[in-house]
Amino acid sequence: MSTDRMVGLSWAERIGVPESFALAGLEMDPARLPGGTGWGELAGELRGYLDALVGVDPPADLVSEMAEQLRSWRERLAAARVPERDQPWGHRVDLPARGQALAPHVEMLDRGDDWLEATVVFGRFHLGGHDAVHGGAVALLFDEVLGRFSDTHGRPAARTVSLDVAFRAVTPPERELRLRVWFEREHGRKRQLHGELRDGDVVCAEARALFIVLRPDQG
C-alpha cells in the first residue's frame, strides 16, 4: 500500500486496535488498512505454503524452480518496501494471527472482562520434531495472545517484561487445541497474566507473563 493512501489516518485506522482481537465488534474497513482487502488471502496462502514445504522432500528440479520463483518475488517486493509503521504483516488485528504467518492461527470463542477462551491449531511449520510442536512456537503463542489481551478494554499498550512457560505434555500439531488466558493482577504500570493450553483434558503448557505499560515516549 502506498503511503499516500494512509495520509490522515490515525494509528488505529492504519493497523486496527487490540480490542478487535477480543471480539469487541469494532468495524474496520480492510480497504483502508495496510495490505488492503487481499492481504488476508495472501497471508493464508503463505501459511499453507510453509506448512506444505516443511512436510515434503521434493525432487531437485522442483526445488530449483521454487527457488527461482521465490527469488523473483523477493526482488519485486523490494520495490514496495515501507517503514514498519506502514506494513500489514503483524499489524492487521482484523485477520488471524495479525495477518502474518509466524504465529499459529487463533480463533476466539468467548471472553469476559478479564479472561478469554480460544482455539488454536499449530501447523506442520511449527513442528519441532517427534510429532511435537516446537517449544519456542508454544512460547510465541502465549506471548502473542497474552500480550494482545493485555492491551484490551482501552488499556494503553504494554510490552513483555518476562514470560515463564512450563511444558506439561507434548503439544500436538495439526489438531484443534483449547487456549484460556486471564488477568491475575494489575498494579500501576504492571500487568500479570496467566495462560493455559490444553489438548482435551491434557494440559500441554501453561504460562505466566509480566507486561509493563509503555511510557508516552516509548510508543
Side-chain angles (χ1 to χ4, degrees), residues 18-127:
E19 291 292 351
S20 62
F21 175 77
L23 300 180
L26 296 182
E27 295 183 3
M28 291 180 287
D29 180 4
R32 300 189 65 184
L33 296 174
T37 57
W39 187 262
E41 182 179 6
L42 175 60
E45 288 298 328
L46 176 58
R47 183 184 297 276
Y49 171 82
L50 292 172
D51 282 335
L53 179 65
V54 301
V56 299
D57 181 14
D61 59 339
L62 181 56
V63 170
S64 297
E65 180 183 354
M66 287 192 299
E68 180 59 33
Q69 290 180 356
L70 289 173
R71 185 179 302 109
S72 175
W73 280 112
R74 175 174 56 79
E75 292 171 352
R76 291 181 64 181
L77 288 171
R81 185 179 176 88
V82 295
E84 180 188 354
R85 179 182 175 88
D86 297 321
Q87 71 184 38
W89 181 275
H91 288 170
R92 287 289 298 271
V93 296
D94 60 315
L95 298 173
R98 293 181 295 125
Q100 46 92 356
L102 180 63
H105 187 139
V106 175
E107 290 284 349
M108 297 302 102
L109 295 177
D110 198 5
R111 67 165 290 184
D113 291 341
D114 59 359
W115 61 269
L116 180 146
E117 291 186 345
T119 60
V120 58
V121 177
F122 288 92
R124 193 160 176 178
F125 174 67
H126 297 107
L127 191 66

Side-chain angles (χ1 to χ4, degrees), residues 200-213:
D201 294 330
V202 177
V203 177
C204 299
E206 57 182 321
R208 282 185 166 84
L210 171 64
F211 300 91
I212 295 293
V213 176

